[in-house]
Each structure stands twice: as C-alpha cells, then as structure tokens.
C-alpha cells in the first residue's frame, strides 16, 4: 500500500506521544523513521517501528534517558547512553562530534550503553548537512560466524562514511554482512529470495532464502574472511574507545541493547581549499560513472545516489509500505 509522507509522519508522531515520549523526542523519532522510509530503507525505517515499541514496552529502551558526557580530552569525548532511544542518542552524539570538529578540525565521541540507531546513514547525512565528513560505526549482537566457524560470534557492525557535496552528499551506509538482517526481513515480507547468498542455512550451506537464514541468524560477511576480520576490528575499536560492551558482552543479553558506537567528524573547511573538494569529488564520480555496464541499460551509482532518486520518487508518488506492518502500527 502507499502512504503519503506527511501521513506517515503524523501517525508516527501520535504513536510516540501515546507511548509517553516527550514532544521533542516524538518529533525526532517520527521524522527519522519517516525519512529512512522515504529514502527507500524501510528495513530500518517503518518496518522497525513495531519492534521499537515492543522494546519500549519491555523497558529495554528508557524513553526518558539520553546520552551524557562522561569524560573529555580536548576533541575526544566518551559518553554514556543510559539505555535511552538509539535515535535520540545518536543524533545528540553526532551533533557533539560536529561541534568538536568545527572547534578543533576533527572530533570524536565514543558512546556506550545505547540502543539500536536504526539507519546509520541518518547520522552521516546529519554530519554532511553540517559540512562535515563523518566516519561512524556501531557493534551489534552476534549474528555472523567468524570466517570458518559454525556459530555466530561476531556482529554485522554497520559502518558509515559521509562526504558533503553540493550536488548530493556521498553517503556509504553498510552492514558488514552481505545483507543487513533488516533487509533480509524486507525480502521475507515481500515473499522474495535474496539476489545473492546472504547467509547459512541449518545444513551449513550458503542460502538466499530469508527464512532459512533468519532461523539461526548466521549472516555472510562481506568479502568473506576480510569482512569477518573487519567486524572484529570495529567491535574492538567501539569497545575500547567507549569502555562499553563488546559483541561478546552483548551476546549475554536476551535482547540486543547496551551497545557501543563511535562518531568521528572532520571539518574539511579548515584547509581553506576554495572549491577543490567539489572538483575532486566530481572527478572521481565522473570517472566511475563513465564505464560500460555489464548489463545494457544498467546505471553505475556512487554511494547515496540511488537513495536520493528513491526519495524524489516517493515524495512525488507516496511511499510503498508493507500492509501488515502498517496494520501493526495502526493497532499500536
């Protein structure tokens, strides 16, 4: 079914108000969930809302809490999320990293004890809108086997890089699994198979069947052994910089919570390059666009380009939403 963006925003705002969020937080949450869905990322937008409310009901998410600074060392800070809503904490810590970057040229906030930030690209875009480059990452519960192993012991730790650009920001937002589990569930809701292998089934065989992969949550790391190693390193960095929980510690909890994240922002205007970054970005984008596609008619995209096109289409025509998801939200 199709929903107008303004209708989605209104319904979600009323939902979060009903569940006792403050007016300010309800507006922020409704906006982030709607914006993610507008950009075509329903898996971390509208589809996540029922689960988010379930965690609120269970007390996993403390609706009144938010991130607070614990200690500061110049342009490096450590914060505690106090198990508040991940979106609220991530927005606040991104803003702080931006402030530090504009003061020092570069800023970092390491955050512990927070909840799922939903779509990581939200905060990359937030930084790019403030004319900052960003490097952001988070650890997760274990949902991938380390390369060569049977059981999930590492997380698909999402990794984000954003670069401000006048013609459209460059935003890389990717899980370290071939498909995020939200995306795998997206295919399940559509009754579709994944276009490539996304994880292992119960017979230890690679599969593109969402149901078989989701039964044990054993995702396939990007780049096979390389993605496995990168997952471990990001978990190590998020854990030691925030003095928070590792994927190992998160695994002891029944539900994914109290995770660790890192927000790094760089303010490129300190170099006073007078338009050079835009020129260099165009050079790279034009060079990669100018390639013959393997399949005639296909288009080559830079990171974030397809999301911009999807957003423009959805603003014009309305957003496609899974009917069962929307019915769950209306029931809530």
């Amino acid at each position: 079914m199709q929903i107008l963006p303004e209708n989605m925003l209104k319904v979600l705002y009323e939902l979060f108000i009903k569940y006792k969020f403050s007016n300010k937080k309800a507006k922020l949450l409704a906006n982030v969930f709607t914006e993610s869905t507008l950009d075509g990322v329903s898996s971390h937008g509208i589809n996540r809302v029922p689960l988010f409310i379930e965690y609120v009901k269970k007390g996993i998410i403390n609706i009144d809490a938010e991130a607070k600074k614990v200690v500061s060392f110049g342009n490096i800070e450590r914060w505690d999320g106090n198990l508040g809503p991940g979106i609220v904490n991530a927005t606040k810590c991104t803003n702080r990293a931006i402030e530090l970057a504009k003061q020092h040229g570069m800023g970092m906030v390491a955050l512990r004890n927070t909840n799922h930030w939903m779509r990581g690209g939200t905060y990359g875009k937030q930084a790019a809108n403030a004319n900052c480059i960003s490097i952001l990452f988070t650890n997760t519960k274990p949902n991938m086997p380390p390369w060569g192993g049977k059981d999930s012991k590492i997380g698909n730790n999402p990794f984000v890089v954003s670069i401000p650009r006048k013609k459209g920001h460059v935003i890389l937002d990717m899980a370290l699994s071939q498909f995020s589990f939200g995306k795998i569930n997206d295919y399940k809701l559509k009754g579709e198979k994944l276009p490539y292998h996304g994880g292992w089934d119960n017979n230890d065989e690679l599969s593109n069947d969402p149901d078989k992969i989701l039964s044990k949550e054993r995702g396939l790391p990007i780049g096979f052994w390389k993605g496995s190693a990168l997952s471990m390193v990001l978990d190590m960095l998020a854990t030691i910089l925030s003095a928070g929980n590792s994927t190992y510690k998160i695994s002891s909890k029944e539900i994914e919570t109290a995770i660790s994240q890192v927000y790094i922002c760089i303010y490129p205007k300190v170099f006073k390059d007078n338009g050079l970054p835009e020129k260099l970005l165009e050079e790279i984008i034009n060079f990669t666009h100018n390639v013959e596609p393997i399949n005639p008619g296909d288009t080559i995209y830079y990171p974030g380009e397809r999301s911009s096109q999807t957003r423009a289409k959805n603003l014009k025509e309305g957003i496609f939403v899974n009917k069962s998801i929307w019915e769950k939200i209306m029931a809530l």
Side-chain angles (χ1 to χ4, degrees):
M1 58 189 297
Q2 281 180 297
I3 305 291
L4 291 175
E6 55 268 29
N7 187 30
M8 182 179 291
L9 193 66
K10 178 177 179 290
V11 167
L12 293 183
Y13 170 73
E14 291 173 354
L15 174 67
F16 298 132
I17 288 292
K18 178 179 178 180
Y19 283 88
K20 309 301 181 186
F21 284 95
S22 68
N23 182 59
K24 183 179 178 182
K25 288 181 181 177
K27 282 183 177 177
L28 174 62
L29 292 168
N31 186 63
V32 169
F33 278 112
T34 301
E35 289 286 313
S36 295
T37 314
L38 254 178
D39 287 349
V41 192
S42 298
S43 58
H44 292 70
I46 197 71
N47 292 2
R48 288 264 180 166
V49 172
L51 185 61
F52 177 79
I53 295 296
E54 182 183 328
Y55 285 8
V56 168
K57 287 178 175 179
K58 289 180 176 178
I60 303 298
I61 296 170
N62 183 346
I63 66 170
D64 297 315
E66 58 184 78
K68 303 288 183 185
K69 183 167 67 177
V70 177
V71 66
S72 177
F73 303 98
N75 66 335
I76 297 174
E77 295 182 352
R78 183 176 281 169
W79 287 51
D80 193 306
N82 298 302
L83 302 182
I87 288 173
V88 175
N89 286 344
T91 302
K92 189 171 185 177
C93 288
T94 302
N95 276 332
R96 182 56 183 157
I98 290 166
E99 289 172 2
L100 290 169
K102 290 189 174 180
Q103 184 180 352
H104 301 282
M106 189 171 183
M108 187 196 82
V109 174
L111 174 67
R112 64 182 181 230
N113 295 326
T114 191
N115 281 297
H116 199 305
W117 62 7
M118 301 303 154
R119 181 193 177 203
T122 296
Y123 317 105
K125 186 176 182 179
Q126 182 183 336
N129 284 342
N131 296 311
C132 281
I133 292 166
S134 75
I135 303 169
L136 320 168
F137 52 94
T138 177
N139 62 9
T140 70
K141 66 180 181 180
N143 51 25
M144 297 195 302
W147 190 252
K150 276 194 172 188
D151 298 325
S152 290
K153 298 284 185 178
I154 59 175
N156 66 343
N157 309 335
F159 179 70
V160 178
V161 177
S162 69
I163 306 168
R165 176 172 170 263
K166 289 177 183 175
K167 290 184 180 179
H169 303 317
V170 177
I171 303 176
L172 170 71
D173 177 9
M174 63 181 220
L176 294 191
S177 54
Q178 187 63 46
F179 298 90
S180 72
F181 279 86
K183 194 67 178 175
I184 293 172
N185 193 58
D186 217 9
Y187 278 99
K188 179 182 176 179
L189 287 169
K190 293 176 186 175
E192 297 176 1
K193 294 285 196 295
L194 305 176
Y196 303 97
H197 288 147
W200 283 270
D201 62 21
N202 292 335
N203 297 316
D204 301 327
E205 297 287 340
L206 282 172
S207 175
N208 68 342
D209 186 318
D211 287 303
K212 290 180 179 179
I213 298 168
L214 290 170
S215 67
K216 274 196 174 180
E217 286 204 346
R218 294 192 298 166
L220 174 66
I222 60 164
F224 305 133
W225 51 90
K226 295 179 182 181
S228 175
L230 183 56
S231 166
M232 291 184 209
V233 168
L234 291 183
D235 183 33
M236 291 171 183
L237 288 172
T239 302
I240 63 173
L241 291 173
S242 69
N245 289 322
S246 64
T247 290
Y248 160 66
K249 286 282 181 66
I250 297 164
S251 71
S252 66
K253 304 175 189 300
E254 186 180 339
I255 291 175
E256 181 186 83
T257 187
I259 60 179
S260 306
Q261 299 175 338
V262 173
Y263 301 79
I264 299 169
C265 285
I266 302 163
Y267 190 49
K269 290 193 175 181
V270 296
F271 293 114
K272 296 181 170 58
D273 282 329
N274 298 321
L276 180 62
E278 292 287 330
K279 178 177 177 293
L280 296 176
L281 287 172
E282 289 309 299
E283 183 181 278
I284 295 165
I285 289 169
N286 289 338
F287 181 66
T288 48
H289 271 170
N290 187 26
V291 61
E292 183 180 353
I294 292 174
N295 299 311
D298 279 0
T299 304
I300 310 303
Y301 299 97
Y302 65 80
E305 189 173 8
R306 279 188 295 182
S307 294
S308 297
Q309 292 179 1
T310 301
R311 179 186 182 84
K313 184 174 183 290
N314 285 339
L315 280 170
K316 184 180 178 181
E317 300 175 4
I319 311 170
F320 274 102
V321 177
N322 182 276
K323 189 177 179 183
S324 66
I325 292 289
W326 190 251
E327 286 173 349
K328 284 180 185 177
I329 289 169
M330 296 308 292
L332 286 167

